Amino acid sequence: MKKIVMSILIIVFLITGQAFANNNIKEKEKQLTISDISDLSVVGISFINLIFVVAFYFNDQRNKIKDKKTEYNFFWYKDYVIKDAVLIIEEHISNCCSIIEDCKKNKKKKTSVEQYGVFLKENIMKRFTESNTQTKKRISELLNIIDGNISIDIIKEFIEIQDIFTITVQNVEGDLDELYNKISQKKIVLLNKLYKYGLENIL
């Protein structure tokens, strides 16, 4: 019985309180003046300004994090990737030029076409293919350090080196001096591709 009475009293209190609150709101609505409306406008504008300030702050923080990541990647690219890549490319071009010199020496011996074919298969092409493949692989591994993938342009250069080398040395009448010059020039081309890679993917 006590619980029922208490429940009824609480309900009556809530209803009475709600009615009183509604009456107060109505009274206050009647008392709204131009000054009150102006104050509300100021509060609203201040709130909107606060939203813009907070949004600007978080956007600025995101940009700073992005800049730090770019700076960090550039540091690794400049001090590790590029330096090692230059040495790797120089080593490959040097290997290719050395192989071409061996071809020249063999041709001076005036060996038969059959003997030259065996020499190419068992010596020249084996050495060149290994050097070209390993160089491409090593550069790719370097770029993986900064979560990068070897670009299509760089891959195309290695394919072109293989094509001009293979076509020239397999041709008995092939101009090995011209091949030597073309391969030597590929060093600059490959380094230029790596430079552009840094501009497009790091900065």
PDB file of all heavy atoms in Angstrom, residues 147-164:
ATOM      1  N   ASP A 147      58.373   1.511 -48.970  1.00  0.00           N
ATOM      2  CA  ASP A 147      57.045   1.053 -49.398  1.00  0.00           C
ATOM      3  C   ASP A 147      56.726   1.463 -50.826  1.00  0.00           C
ATOM      4  O   ASP A 147      55.573   1.747 -51.173  1.00  0.00           O
ATOM      5  CB  ASP A 147      55.942   1.592 -48.471  1.00  0.00           C
ATOM      6  CG  ASP A 147      56.040   0.985 -47.084  1.00  0.00           C
ATOM      7  OD1 ASP A 147      56.495  -0.170 -47.003  1.00  0.00           O
ATOM      8  OD2 ASP A 147      55.685   1.657 -46.111  1.00  0.00           O
ATOM      9  N   GLY A 148      57.728   1.511 -51.661  1.00  0.00           N
ATOM     10  CA  GLY A 148      57.523   1.886 -53.062  1.00  0.00           C
ATOM     11  C   GLY A 148      57.693   0.685 -53.972  1.00  0.00           C
ATOM     12  O   GLY A 148      58.345  -0.307 -53.609  1.00  0.00           O
ATOM     13  N   ASN A 149      57.104   0.751 -55.134  1.00  0.00           N
ATOM     14  CA  ASN A 149      57.255  -0.303 -56.135  1.00  0.00           C
ATOM     15  C   ASN A 149      58.058   0.242 -57.306  1.00  0.00           C
ATOM     16  O   ASN A 149      57.928   1.421 -57.665  1.00  0.00           O
ATOM     17  CB  ASN A 149      55.884  -0.781 -56.627  1.00  0.00           C
ATOM     18  CG  ASN A 149      55.082  -1.436 -55.520  1.00  0.00           C
ATOM     19  OD1 ASN A 149      55.616  -2.235 -54.762  1.00  0.00           O
ATOM     20  ND2 ASN A 149      53.814  -1.079 -55.412  1.00  0.00           N
ATOM     21  N   ILE A 150      58.878  -0.604 -57.887  1.00  0.00           N
ATOM     22  CA  ILE A 150      59.668  -0.181 -59.026  1.00  0.00           C
ATOM     23  C   ILE A 150      58.735   0.290 -60.144  1.00  0.00           C
ATOM     24  O   ILE A 150      57.735  -0.357 -60.443  1.00  0.00           O
ATOM     25  CB  ILE A 150      60.593  -1.326 -59.509  1.00  0.00           C
ATOM     26  CG1 ILE A 150      61.581  -0.820 -60.553  1.00  0.00           C
ATOM     27  CG2 ILE A 150      59.792  -2.500 -60.020  1.00  0.00           C
ATOM     28  CD1 ILE A 150      62.701  -1.814 -60.840  1.00  0.00           C
ATOM     29  N   SER A 151      59.018   1.451 -60.696  1.00  0.00           N
ATOM     30  CA  SER A 151      58.100   2.045 -61.667  1.00  0.00           C
ATOM     31  C   SER A 151      58.162   1.330 -63.015  1.00  0.00           C
ATOM     32  O   SER A 151      59.157   0.677 -63.353  1.00  0.00           O
ATOM     33  CB  SER A 151      58.415   3.527 -61.864  1.00  0.00           C
ATOM     34  OG  SER A 151      59.637   3.689 -62.556  1.00  0.00           O
ATOM     35  N   ILE A 152      57.104   1.482 -63.784  1.00  0.00           N
ATOM     36  CA  ILE A 152      57.029   0.878 -65.120  1.00  0.00           C
ATOM     37  C   ILE A 152      58.128   1.443 -66.011  1.00  0.00           C
ATOM     38  O   ILE A 152      58.717   0.726 -66.825  1.00  0.00           O
ATOM     39  CB  ILE A 152      55.636   1.133 -65.742  1.00  0.00           C
ATOM     40  CG1 ILE A 152      54.558   0.400 -64.938  1.00  0.00           C
ATOM     41  CG2 ILE A 152      55.603   0.670 -67.206  1.00  0.00           C
ATOM     42  CD1 ILE A 152      53.145   0.685 -65.401  1.00  0.00           C
ATOM     43  N   ASP A 153      58.422   2.749 -65.859  1.00  0.00           N
ATOM     44  CA  ASP A 153      59.468   3.387 -66.676  1.00  0.00           C
ATOM     45  C   ASP A 153      60.823   2.732 -66.444  1.00  0.00           C
ATOM     46  O   ASP A 153      61.595   2.527 -67.389  1.00  0.00           O
ATOM     47  CB  ASP A 153      59.552   4.882 -66.341  1.00  0.00           C
ATOM     48  CG  ASP A 153      58.372   5.659 -66.893  1.00  0.00           C
ATOM     49  OD1 ASP A 153      57.713   5.147 -67.819  1.00  0.00           O
ATOM     50  OD2 ASP A 153      58.115   6.775 -66.410  1.00  0.00           O
ATOM     51  N   ILE A 154      61.133   2.424 -65.186  1.00  0.00           N
ATOM     52  CA  ILE A 154      62.421   1.789 -64.877  1.00  0.00           C
ATOM     53  C   ILE A 154      62.464   0.369 -65.443  1.00  0.00           C
ATOM     54  O   ILE A 154      63.473  -0.065 -66.006  1.00  0.00           O
ATOM     55  CB  ILE A 154      62.659   1.764 -63.350  1.00  0.00           C
ATOM     56  CG1 ILE A 154      62.757   3.200 -62.823  1.00  0.00           C
ATOM     57  CG2 ILE A 154      63.927   0.983 -63.012  1.00  0.00           C
ATOM     58  CD1 ILE A 154      62.875   3.300 -61.315  1.00  0.00           C
ATOM     59  N   ILE A 155      61.358  -0.362 -65.309  1.00  0.00           N
ATOM     60  CA  ILE A 155      61.285  -1.728 -65.858  1.00  0.00           C
ATOM     61  C   ILE A 155      61.485  -1.705 -67.376  1.00  0.00           C
ATOM     62  O   ILE A 155      62.188  -2.546 -67.940  1.00  0.00           O
ATOM     63  CB  ILE A 155      59.930  -2.376 -65.506  1.00  0.00           C
ATOM     64  CG1 ILE A 155      59.838  -2.626 -63.994  1.00  0.00           C
ATOM     65  CG2 ILE A 155      59.736  -3.685 -66.269  1.00  0.00           C
ATOM     66  CD1 ILE A 155      58.503  -3.146 -63.528  1.00  0.00           C
ATOM     67  N   LYS A 156      60.861  -0.717 -68.033  1.00  0.00           N
ATOM     68  CA  LYS A 156      60.991  -0.598 -69.489  1.00  0.00           C
ATOM     69  C   LYS A 156      62.441  -0.404 -69.909  1.00  0.00           C
ATOM     70  O   LYS A 156      62.874  -0.909 -70.943  1.00  0.00           O
ATOM     71  CB  LYS A 156      60.138   0.573 -69.992  1.00  0.00           C
ATOM     72  CG  LYS A 156      58.652   0.273 -70.075  1.00  0.00           C
ATOM     73  CD  LYS A 156      57.891   1.476 -70.620  1.00  0.00           C
ATOM     74  CE  LYS A 156      56.404   1.179 -70.740  1.00  0.00           C
ATOM     75  NZ  LYS A 156      55.641   2.373 -71.222  1.00  0.00           N
ATOM     76  N   GLU A 157      63.198   0.350 -69.106  1.00  0.00           N
ATOM     77  CA  GLU A 157      64.604   0.584 -69.425  1.00  0.00           C
ATOM     78  C   GLU A 157      65.408  -0.714 -69.363  1.00  0.00           C
ATOM     79  O   GLU A 157      66.268  -0.966 -70.216  1.00  0.00           O
ATOM     80  CB  GLU A 157      65.202   1.625 -68.474  1.00  0.00           C
ATOM     81  CG  GLU A 157      64.709   3.036 -68.698  1.00  0.00           C
ATOM     82  CD  GLU A 157      64.932   3.526 -70.118  1.00  0.00           C
ATOM     83  OE1 GLU A 157      65.987   3.230 -70.701  1.00  0.00           O
ATOM     84  OE2 GLU A 157      64.041   4.210 -70.648  1.00  0.00           O
ATOM     85  N   PHE A 158      65.125  -1.541 -68.364  1.00  0.00           N
ATOM     86  CA  PHE A 158      65.834  -2.820 -68.267  1.00  0.00           C
ATOM     87  C   PHE A 158      65.457  -3.742 -69.433  1.00  0.00           C
ATOM     88  O   PHE A 158      66.304  -4.477 -69.956  1.00  0.00           O
ATOM     89  CB  PHE A 158      65.512  -3.499 -66.931  1.00  0.00           C
ATOM     90  CG  PHE A 158      66.286  -2.937 -65.775  1.00  0.00           C
ATOM     91  CD1 PHE A 158      65.675  -2.121 -64.845  1.00  0.00           C
ATOM     92  CD2 PHE A 158      67.633  -3.208 -65.623  1.00  0.00           C
ATOM     93  CE1 PHE A 158      66.376  -1.591 -63.780  1.00  0.00           C
ATOM     94  CE2 PHE A 158      68.361  -2.691 -64.558  1.00  0.00           C
ATOM     95  CZ  PHE A 158      67.728  -1.877 -63.632  1.00  0.00           C
ATOM     96  N   ILE A 159      64.196  -3.699 -69.829  1.00  0.00           N
ATOM     97  CA  ILE A 159      63.751  -4.505 -70.975  1.00  0.00           C
ATOM     98  C   ILE A 159      64.450  -4.026 -72.247  1.00  0.00           C
ATOM     99  O   ILE A 159      64.889  -4.843 -73.073  1.00  0.00           O
ATOM    100  CB  ILE A 159      62.221  -4.414 -71.138  1.00  0.00           C
ATOM    101  CG1 ILE A 159      61.520  -5.112 -69.963  1.00  0.00           C
ATOM    102  CG2 ILE A 159      61.781  -5.049 -72.461  1.00  0.00           C
ATOM    103  CD1 ILE A 159      60.015  -4.935 -69.956  1.00  0.00           C
ATOM    104  N   GLU A 160      64.552  -2.700 -72.384  1.00  0.00           N
ATOM    105  CA  GLU A 160      65.213  -2.140 -73.580  1.00  0.00           C
ATOM    106  C   GLU A 160      66.694  -2.489 -73.605  1.00  0.00           C
ATOM    107  O   GLU A 160      67.247  -2.811 -74.663  1.00  0.00           O
ATOM    108  CB  GLU A 160      65.042  -0.614 -73.600  1.00  0.00           C
ATOM    109  CG  GLU A 160      65.544   0.001 -74.902  1.00  0.00           C
ATOM    110  CD  GLU A 160      65.225   1.480 -75.011  1.00  0.00           C
ATOM    111  OE1 GLU A 160      64.278   1.947 -74.329  1.00  0.00           O
ATOM    112  OE2 GLU A 160      65.922   2.170 -75.768  1.00  0.00           O
ATOM    113  N   ILE A 161      67.343  -2.445 -72.444  1.00  0.00           N
ATOM    114  CA  ILE A 161      68.758  -2.838 -72.364  1.00  0.00           C
ATOM    115  C   ILE A 161      68.924  -4.278 -72.815  1.00  0.00           C
ATOM    116  O   ILE A 161      69.837  -4.614 -73.589  1.00  0.00           O
ATOM    117  CB  ILE A 161      69.285  -2.667 -70.920  1.00  0.00           C
ATOM    118  CG1 ILE A 161      69.414  -1.175 -70.577  1.00  0.00           C
ATOM    119  CG2 ILE A 161      70.637  -3.366 -70.756  1.00  0.00           C
ATOM    120  CD1 ILE A 161      69.772  -0.921 -69.124  1.00  0.00           C
ATOM    121  N   GLN A 162      68.015  -5.145 -72.339  1.00  0.00           N
ATOM    122  CA  GLN A 162      68.098  -6.559 -72.723  1.00  0.00           C
ATOM    123  C   GLN A 162      67.874  -6.744 -74.223  1.00  0.00           C
ATOM    124  O   GLN A 162      68.568  -7.549 -74.862  1.00  0.00           O
ATOM    125  CB  GLN A 162      67.055  -7.357 -71.931  1.00  0.00           C
ATOM    126  CG  GLN A 162      67.103  -8.848 -72.233  1.00  0.00           C
ATOM    127  CD  GLN A 162      66.488  -9.686 -71.127  1.00  0.00           C
ATOM    128  OE1 GLN A 162      66.095  -9.161 -70.098  1.00  0.00           O
ATOM    129  NE2 GLN A 162      66.417 -10.983 -71.329  1.00  0.00           N
ATOM    130  N   ASP A 163      66.919  -6.004 -74.774  1.00  0.00           N
ATOM    131  CA  ASP A 163      66.597  -6.149 -76.205  1.00  0.00           C
ATOM    132  C   ASP A 163      67.768  -5.717 -77.092  1.00  0.00           C
ATOM    133  O   ASP A 163      68.171  -6.455 -78.003  1.00  0.00           O
ATOM    134  CB  ASP A 163      65.353  -5.319 -76.545  1.00  0.00           C
ATOM    135  CG  ASP A 163      64.073  -5.935 -75.988  1.00  0.00           C
ATOM    136  OD1 ASP A 163      64.108  -7.125 -75.623  1.00  0.00           O
ATOM    137  OD2 ASP A 163      63.049  -5.221 -75.917  1.00  0.00           O
ATOM    138  N   ILE A 164      68.311  -4.517 -76.824  1.00  0.00           N
ATOM    139  CA  ILE A 164      69.385  -4.014 -77.697  1.00  0.00           C
ATOM    140  C   ILE A 164      70.658  -4.848 -77.527  1.00  0.00           C
ATOM    141  O   ILE A 164      71.402  -5.051 -78.494  1.00  0.00           O
ATOM    142  CB  ILE A 164      69.689  -2.522 -77.442  1.00  0.00           C
ATOM    143  CG1 ILE A 164      70.137  -2.275 -76.000  1.00  0.00           C
ATOM    144  CG2 ILE A 164      68.495  -1.651 -77.785  1.00  0.00           C
ATOM    145  CD1 ILE A 164      70.550  -0.836 -75.732  1.00  0.00           C
TER     146      ILE A 164
END
